[in-house]
Amino acid sequence: MRGRRNDGQNDSLNMARIEQEKANEGVRLLVEKHKKEKEAALNKILLLEKQLDEKHQLELDIQQLRGKLEVVKHMEGEGVDVKKRTEELNKDLQDRIDAMEDLEELNQALIIKERMTNDELQDAKKELISGLVDLLGPRSNIGIRRMGQVDEKPFIEACKPKYGAEADTKALEFCSMWQDNLRDANWHPFKIVTTGEKSEQIIDEGDEKLVGLKEELGEEVYKAVTTALVEMNEYNASGSYVVSELWNNKDNRKASMGEVVEHILKQWKAKRKR
């Protein structure tokens, strides 16, 4: 009996050790990603400032050289070799124009590189979220939200009065059907509203499907579907599939990497004290 008890204790200790190692690795990846994002943001700001300064200076140089060229054209007969001076100024002007074009090409290259970096960060974020599923619970301040996934709870509540014992089954059917509707690329119940110079897409409340949904299952179900629609349109409009996002459950908003790092470190430290 004692041997079996020891084996059980050893298994529990091994499981605890494995879970701790997973937590440690999750924290390490999270801190590393947060650091990289901060460095990338800072480098981008510094580079943009430098490019703006260079572009501004080149624009001033080009403007001044063109002004000098106009002046030289009217200096014939004043002891100035107009042809030679014009050639010199034209050469300087062309050098500045070439430098401006080089700067534009560099800027385009940096934009492409930034897109590639963003793609890499998104891939890393997906891996990170996958590794943190066990550490970020739905009841904790920081969790993982499935953006674009229809919440089935309002469907269940709406179906109870109508379907009684079959409420759960009918709710799942309705919820699944509306999730499929969200994936339909031909259905885009949004309209563009312009305020001043700002335009944004909002839910088209007059959409036939949405009107029918509200009439059949009520306001809360309508809110659940339109919330998922807005999320999917924001996070993955082209792909129309659910995307996982780090979420601040307390404030009901996207969580910053700093918040996630702080939350995970607190959990990690609490586990180490046990």
Side-chain angles (χ1 to χ4, degrees):
M1 287 291 290
R2 185 177 296 175
R4 290 181 182 176
R5 190 182 303 159
N6 288 338
D7 288 343
Q9 288 176 345
N10 288 335
D11 288 343
S12 297
L13 287 171
N14 284 333
M15 288 295 292
R17 179 179 57 78
I18 291 169
E19 288 299 316
Q20 186 64 57
E21 287 175 356
K22 283 173 64 178
N24 292 351
E25 180 64 11
V27 171
R28 186 189 67 77
L29 288 171
L30 191 61
V31 172
E32 189 177 300
K33 182 177 185 294
H34 182 48
K35 183 181 177 183
K36 284 182 179 178
E37 284 188 345
K38 285 180 70 176
E39 287 176 353
L42 179 60
N43 289 336
K44 183 181 176 183
I45 291 169
L46 293 173
L47 186 59
L48 283 172
E49 288 177 349
K50 182 182 177 183
Q51 283 183 317
L52 282 171
D53 289 342
E54 289 178 4
K55 186 176 181 181
H56 182 61
Q57 186 59 52
L58 284 169
E59 286 172 344
L60 285 175
D61 289 347
I62 290 169
Q63 188 176 355
Q64 288 173 358
L65 285 167
R66 283 176 174 158
K68 288 179 181 179
L69 274 169
E70 288 300 316
V71 172
V72 168
K73 288 178 184 178
H74 299 89
M75 294 179 69
E76 193 76 47
E78 296 183 16
V80 177
D81 189 338
V82 174
K83 183 180 178 182
K84 182 180 178 183
R85 184 62 180 145
T86 300
E87 287 175 353
E88 290 173 350
L89 289 172
N90 273 323
K91 184 179 182 304
D92 286 346
L93 180 60
Q94 190 59 51
D95 288 344
R96 297 298 190 282
I97 291 172
D98 289 344
M100 179 78 86
E101 289 175 354
D102 289 343
L103 190 62
E104 290 294 337
E105 287 180 8
L106 174 62
N107 189 45
Q108 289 301 315
L110 288 171
I111 289 172
I112 293 170
K113 184 179 179 182
E114 183 186 359
R115 286 174 182 166
M116 292 173 67
T117 302
N118 284 339
D119 289 342
E120 289 172 4
L121 283 172
Q122 288 304 314
D123 289 341
K125 186 177 181 180
K126 288 176 185 176
E127 291 182 20
L128 181 62
I129 289 174
S130 176
L132 292 176
V133 169
D134 295 333
L135 294 174
L136 300 175
R139 295 182 181 178
S140 61
N141 287 342
I142 304 296
I144 296 171
R145 183 182 175 96
R146 301 271 288 162
M147 310 305 289
Q149 182 166 297
V150 180
D151 184 3
E152 65 182 42
K153 292 176 186 175
F155 283 87
I156 294 172
E157 293 303 315
C159 287
K160 281 179 180 177
K162 290 185 177 183
Y163 300 101
E166 296 182 3
D168 287 356
T169 303
K170 293 297 294 184
L172 288 174
E173 287 177 7
F174 279 125
C175 190
S176 178
M177 180 186 75
W178 278 97
Q179 193 70 60
D180 288 340
N181 285 337
L182 263 65
R183 296 191 189 100
D184 184 359
N186 296 316
W187 185 53
H188 191 71
F190 290 88
K191 60 183 179 181
I192 297 175
V193 175
T194 303
T195 306
E197 296 182 357
K198 184 181 179 183
S199 296
E200 62 177 336
Q201 290 191 64
I202 64 170
I203 292 290
D204 181 4
E205 296 179 357
D207 177 82
E208 188 177 340
K209 281 187 179 181
L210 292 178
V211 170
L213 171 67
K214 187 185 285 189
E215 289 176 353
E216 183 179 9
L217 295 175
E219 182 70 26
E220 293 306 311
V221 169
Y222 171 84
K223 285 181 181 178
V225 170
T226 52
T227 296
L229 269 167
V230 170
E231 290 175 353
M232 189 168 284
N233 192 51
E234 178 183 351
Y235 280 82
N236 190 24
S238 58
S240 296
Y241 55 83
V242 175
V243 176
S244 294
E245 180 60 88
L246 296 166
W247 198 255
N248 186 316
N249 292 322
K250 184 179 179 182
D251 298 336
N252 194 30
R253 59 170 172 78
K254 181 179 175 180
S256 69
M257 289 306 298
E259 288 173 325
V260 179
V261 169
E262 183 180 357
H263 177 77
I264 294 298
L265 285 174
K266 282 182 180 178
Q267 283 198 329
W268 186 49
K269 288 175 182 177
K271 283 188 176 183
R272 290 186 68 182
K273 289 178 181 178
R274 291 175 187 172

